[in-house]
Amino acid sequence: MIEGKSAVNNSVLLLDDDSDLIAAMSELIAMQSNRKSLTANSVAELEALGGKIHVCNIAFLDVNLGPDKPSGIAAAKWLREQGFKGKMYFFTGHAGNHPLVIEASSVSGVEIIHKPIDIKFLLGLLSGDAHD
Amino acid sequence: MRMTDHSAALLEKKSLSTVRLLTFIIFFAEGTAYFAFSNVGFKQLPRWPYGALSLIGLALWAFTISKPKLSLKTSQSITFTCLFSALAVATFQNLFMYRDGQVYQPFLGHKFIALTIGMMAPSLQKKGMVLISLCGIIPVCIYYFVIPPEARQLVFRPEPWTTFITAAIGMMILHHRISEIKFEIAAIEATYAKKHAEDKASTFLAIRDFVSTPLQTLILEAAILREKFPQARTDLDRLDGSIEKILELRKKFNEEDVSPSTHLSIDANHIIENLKK
């Protein structure tokens, strides 16, 4: 599903199995930074987006996309294979000792962010500000 | 001692195993005595008590074998009945052994019973102590008050004190075994208490992880509503305040580090699914 029709390469890619979170996040991002969002609930939906992903320069990938389903780690791998040049973040609600989070931490160049984050922090990430 | 179902089940199992073995020993030992004593010169010794107790032992053995499970109380009652009957038979037979005029070794049954209780039946506890005491006291009484002084010459020395000391040893073994059982139960209880605490901690952690996404949505929605409806500022301040309290609580939860083990993986989805069942 694509939210908006931005041709500029500053859209945000959101991958999360929680539709409410995706809807709220994309709406807030549109409000606060006037950026469009490209959203997917699963790796399959992400792959279906194909070349559209290149309009995004930042991606928030939920690590755990449901039991027995490809994780955000598989999504990051696919994005790399597609030549995605944007900044990627793993977005997770799980603790650091969750097996998927441990696996995600070994993926180089992708930072892990733990939910919930506050709005300022999120906007900071979008604007590319340094953060803790 | 307060016991959980796990400890009670273990004690029940142990007691059933003990009573099975003990009833078989009673059947075998008394049966052997039935055939053996008359062949070694004890003509005035009645054989029927050995025979009767052997048959009782056989019947009880068959009963316990036929039951895959037996309550602790029943197992203990059968154990006590067997040992008490064996003590009664041993005491009764010692009133006849000197009558054939040959030198003999008395109180074998009393020694055997005292040691058996100590080693095999710690669950009898106070009843076991009473039985062992009787095993030590009865031979002294028989020797000094029942057997005629001239017949004491037939008793293989040094009795009755050998039997008395054997009973004392049986008592020490029983005491040791009771302590051992208590220690074993305490270890089992501690293991289950630890597991229970770990399960609880895992559940708390799973809930914490599971609410992360809805909480994130609430934070985002509050910000959206603040933008859309500036007039609702007071309400949204309250909402934000409540969200902040939850976040503070989570922060404390993280600082406390309730994780049962740093190496333990918490699968929040799996745990929450199990809670739903």
Side-chain angles (χ1 to χ4, degrees):
Chain A
M1 183 172 61
I2 185 158
E3 307 279 339
K5 295 175 185 173
S6 177
V8 189
N9 286 358
N10 72 343
S11 294
V12 180
L13 180 61
L14 301 175
L15 172 67
D16 202 300
D17 59 340
D18 190 299
S19 302
D20 291 336
L21 177 72
I22 283 190
M25 207 162 165
S26 54
E27 188 176 349
L28 186 82
I29 289 169
M31 272 180 174
Q32 299 279 355
S33 63
N34 205 26
R35 293 167 76 166
K36 307 295 179 190
S37 297
L38 208 57
T39 65
N41 286 118
S42 63
V43 174
E45 280 187 23
L46 175 70
E47 288 173 1
L49 292 174
K52 290 177 189 171
I53 56 162
H54 296 295
V55 299
C56 303
N57 65 353
I58 188 165
F60 292 97
L61 311 171
D62 185 16
V63 175
N64 188 354
L65 295 168
D68 304 322
K69 288 187 178 163
S71 67
I73 300 161
K77 196 180 164 194
W78 181 81
L79 285 171
R80 284 240 171 93
E81 285 168 3
Q82 301 305 307
F84 182 74
K85 297 279 190 299
K87 176 80 180 160
M88 286 192 273
Y89 292 100
F90 283 132
F91 204 33
T92 182
H94 292 289
N97 57 3
H98 189 282
L100 276 177
V101 180
I102 293 168
E103 194 184 338
S105 64
S106 65
V107 179
S108 65
V110 187
E111 200 175 319
I112 297 174
I113 300 167
H114 290 275
K115 295 175 196 169
I117 55 171
D118 65 22
I119 306 302
K120 277 184 189 170
F121 185 79
L122 174 65
L123 297 177
L125 294 177
L126 291 170
S127 63
D129 290 348
H131 55 83
D132 294 328
Chain B
M1 183 188 298
R2 198 185 68 80
M3 279 193 296
T4 62
D5 292 345
H6 308 290
S7 308
L10 183 84
L11 263 188
E12 217 169 68
K13 216 172 169 183
K14 275 191 162 191
S15 293
L16 178 60
S17 153
T18 300
V19 77
R20 279 176 180 166
L21 181 61
L22 186 75
T23 47
F24 184 80
I25 290 172
I26 293 284
F27 155 66
F28 183 75
E30 299 296 333
T32 305
Y34 178 82
F35 291 108
F37 274 107
S38 60
N39 293 335
V40 290
F42 292 101
K43 300 296 178 198
Q44 292 192 50
L45 193 68
R47 295 169 71 198
W48 66 265
Y50 294 131
L53 188 54
S54 179
L55 289 176
I56 290 169
L58 178 65
L60 288 173
W61 176 72
F63 172 74
T64 56
I65 285 290
S66 70
K67 300 282 176 189
K69 217 175 162 192
L70 217 54
S71 75
L72 184 63
K73 205 174 172 186
T74 309
S75 294
Q76 286 175 338
S77 300
I78 295 174
T79 303
F80 180 78
T81 306
C82 280
L83 291 165
F84 185 80
S85 306
L87 178 63
V89 168
T91 302
F92 182 73
Q93 299 301 75
N94 270 278
L95 304 179
F96 292 88
M97 288 184 125
Y98 65 88
R99 295 185 186 185
D100 285 303
Q102 61 171 328
V103 175
Y104 71 105
Q105 175 72 59
F107 315 128
L108 275 175
H110 297 79
K111 292 186 194 78
F112 165 78
I113 294 162
L115 292 175
T116 302
I117 295 167
M119 288 188 283
M120 287 181 62
S123 67
L124 287 183
Q125 298 203 3
K126 282 180 185 169
K127 282 181 186 171
M129 287 179 189
V130 171
L131 281 178
I132 292 179
S133 303
L134 289 174
C135 288
I137 294 164
I138 288 172
V140 177
C141 294
I142 290 178
Y143 186 85
Y144 288 108
F145 304 113
V146 179
I147 297 174
E150 60 277 13
R152 286 180 203 155
Q153 313 241 347
L154 302 171
V155 171
F156 197 79
R157 295 283 194 278
E159 287 288 2
W161 300 109
T162 306
T163 306
F164 187 84
I165 289 166
T166 306
I169 291 168
M171 190 71 92
M172 283 186 265
I173 295 172
L174 178 67
H175 182 263
H176 172 70
R177 293 281 289 122
I178 289 171
S179 312
E180 219 172 44
I181 292 273
K182 281 182 179 169
F183 180 75
E184 208 173 318
I185 289 172
I188 293 167
E189 298 296 306
T191 305
Y192 279 100
K194 184 172 175 275
K195 194 180 175 304
H196 182 69
E198 283 186 352
D199 288 347
K200 281 278 172 203
S202 298
T203 305
F204 280 127
L205 289 174
I207 292 169
R208 182 197 63 180
D209 289 359
F210 202 75
V211 300
S212 299
T213 298
L215 196 54
Q216 181 70 74
T217 308
L218 275 176
I219 292 168
L220 294 165
E221 286 295 344
I224 292 165
L225 290 173
R226 196 177 283 282
E227 196 81 18
K228 281 183 177 173
F229 307 101
Q231 71 276 19
R233 189 181 153 189
T234 316
D235 297 307
L236 289 166
D237 283 347
R238 280 200 290 270
L239 180 61
D240 277 344
S242 298
I243 291 171
E244 195 55 43
K245 281 177 191 165
I246 297 171
L247 291 173
E248 278 298 316
L249 192 67
R250 279 175 56 90
K251 201 176 165 190
K252 276 187 184 169
F253 201 66
N254 290 342
E255 283 165 4
E256 289 290 328
D257 188 15
V258 294
S259 175
S261 161
T262 49
H263 304 294
L264 186 72
S265 297
I266 307 289
D267 188 340
N269 291 19
H270 179 73
I271 292 170
I272 298 293
E273 277 305 312
N274 281 345
L275 284 178
K276 283 176 186 170
K277 287 172 197 168

